[in-house]
Amino acid sequence: MAEANKPSQTFDCLAVTSVQVFPFKEGPLATVKAIATVVLNDQFMVRGLRVMNGSNGLFVSYPIDPFFKGDDFRTVCNPITRQLCEHIENCVLEKYQACIE
């Protein structure tokens, strides 16, 4: 199960307090390496984050709206500030690296 990742700092009162990562074995979707769940402030859960392997390395992708009919993808939720985005990505990628070692 997940271990709580206690943040070293908070961003506008939000911090990742728990991370769960579920790595995939090599399969047909080689770009998707894992699915993750994060909890913010022990109060708000975000499921369906994906650890992706892109041309510039690993990154975190947010859940998309499966019913959106536009040309692009539309995320269901995502951080607005760069600091929170980097904080979430760092927590998820650290947990992913720990899971695959």
Side-chain angles (χ1 to χ4, degrees):
M1 293 304 290
E3 295 176 15
N5 287 339
K6 295 300 177 192
S8 58
Q9 64 188 95
T10 59
F11 303 98
D12 294 330
C13 299
L14 285 178
V16 174
T17 53
S18 177
V19 178
Q20 289 181 300
V21 174
F22 307 97
F24 295 134
K25 295 182 179 178
E26 292 299 321
L29 298 175
T31 58
V32 181
K33 297 297 186 183
I35 296 292
T37 299
V38 297
V39 177
L40 303 173
N41 288 6
D42 289 323
Q43 297 180 42
F44 188 77
M45 180 181 292
V46 180
R47 293 183 180 184
L49 285 87
R50 295 177 309 279
V51 176
M52 307 284 290
N53 191 14
S55 58
N56 294 326
L58 294 175
F59 66 97
V60 175
S61 175
Y62 288 84
I64 59 171
D65 182 355
F67 301 108
F68 181 65
K69 300 296 182 202
D71 292 334
D72 295 326
F73 295 108
R74 181 171 66 184
T75 57
V76 175
C77 60
N78 57 293
I80 293 175
T81 65
R82 182 176 188 90
Q83 293 93 351
L84 183 58
C85 183
E86 289 173 355
H87 176 59
I88 292 171
E89 184 166 296
N90 290 339
C91 290
V92 170
L93 293 179
E94 282 178 18
K95 186 71 170 187
Y96 172 74
Q97 292 298 336
C99 286
I100 62 170
E101 290 178 353

